[in-house]
Amino acid sequence: MKTKLWVGGILLLFALYTGMTFTQAIRLLKTGELVAQIMGIAILVIPALCVWILIREVLFGLRTEKMGKSLAASGELPEDLPRMPSGRFIRSAADADFPRHQQDVEENPESWKSWYRLALAYEACGDKPRARKSLRTAIGFWRNDQNVNQR
């Protein structure tokens, strides 16, 4: 819950910032001077790009949370691996557990559940880029499942 409050606060501040930059961009565009108008366009484009990235990341978080809750409710999350006192996974245990999840994806390449569990295995092994890529794949299959179930 604390994280969601922080994210909400950041979103609120970002909305305020975007509104202020939009106002400045309009002022620059109305000046009639070429350099000022170019700056006005840049001021519009950069926050728009940031808004797109922010929306994409928030949706990523919401979708992965929903998928995780679905797996937890059905008892399909992998068992928790041993951890160090710091909370990090013991690497040897994560490495030993990884092939099972990799094989699951090879056997079920279109299963969002398999891809989600593989992402957790990558995360436990410390490979965050591959974990994120696997989660994006899982989200794609999950969204397809959601669309099929809605029809």
Side-chain angles (χ1 to χ4, degrees), residues 86-104:
S86 65
R88 297 182 110 180
F89 292 105
I90 295 175
R91 182 65 188 260
S92 59
D95 288 343
D97 188 51
F98 183 82
R100 180 170 61 103
H101 300 292
Q102 191 173 30
Q103 182 179 357
D104 185 25

Side-chain angles (χ1 to χ4, degrees), residues 128-149:
K128 292 181 187 294
R130 285 191 177 138
R132 195 165 179 84
K133 186 176 179 183
S134 295
L135 279 174
R136 290 209 184 279
T137 302
I139 289 170
F141 288 125
W142 177 76
R143 290 181 71 196
N144 286 342
D145 283 356
Q146 298 297 305
N147 291 336
V148 168
N149 292 338

Side-chain angles (χ1 to χ4, degrees), residues 34-68:
L34 181 62
V35 173
Q37 289 175 333
I38 291 170
M39 287 176 58
I41 291 169
I43 289 174
L44 287 175
V45 169
I46 292 170
L49 179 63
C50 292
V51 166
W52 174 75
I53 291 169
L54 186 65
I55 289 170
R56 190 173 148 229
E57 291 304 307
V58 168
L59 287 175
F60 177 83
L62 292 172
R63 289 171 179 153
T64 55
E65 180 181 23
K66 197 170 188 179
M67 291 169 22

Side-chain angles (χ1 to χ4, degrees), residues 1-131:
M1 183 66 172
K2 189 176 181 182
T3 302
K4 289 183 180 180
L5 288 174
W6 275 107
V7 170
I10 290 169
L11 289 174
L12 184 64
L13 287 174
F14 188 70
L16 180 65
Y17 166 79
T18 302
M20 290 174 17
T21 56
F22 181 76
T23 304
Q24 290 301 319
I26 298 303
R27 288 178 62 196
L28 288 170
L29 289 171
K30 289 182 177 179
T31 63
E33 295 179 31
L34 181 62
V35 173
Q37 289 175 333
I38 291 170
M39 287 176 58
I41 291 169
I43 289 174
L44 287 175
V45 169
I46 292 170
L49 179 63
C50 292
V51 166
W52 174 75
I53 291 169
L54 186 65
I55 289 170
R56 190 173 148 229
E57 291 304 307
V58 168
L59 287 175
F60 177 83
L62 292 172
R63 289 171 179 153
T64 55
E65 180 181 23
K66 197 170 188 179
M67 291 169 22
K69 285 180 179 179
S70 174
L71 284 178
S74 63
E76 297 180 79
L77 282 176
E79 67 278 352
D80 203 16
L81 296 172
R83 295 176 183 257
M84 294 186 279
S86 65
R88 297 182 110 180
F89 292 105
I90 295 175
R91 182 65 188 260
S92 59
D95 288 343
D97 188 51
F98 183 82
R100 180 170 61 103
H101 300 292
Q102 191 173 30
Q103 182 179 357
D104 185 25
V105 165
E106 289 169 1
E107 293 171 0
N108 305 293
E110 294 185 7
S111 168
W112 70 265
K113 295 175 181 183
S114 297
W115 281 100
Y116 190 93
R117 288 188 290 262
L118 180 65
L120 295 178
Y122 274 128
E123 178 74 26
C125 290
D127 193 342
K128 292 181 187 294
R130 285 191 177 138

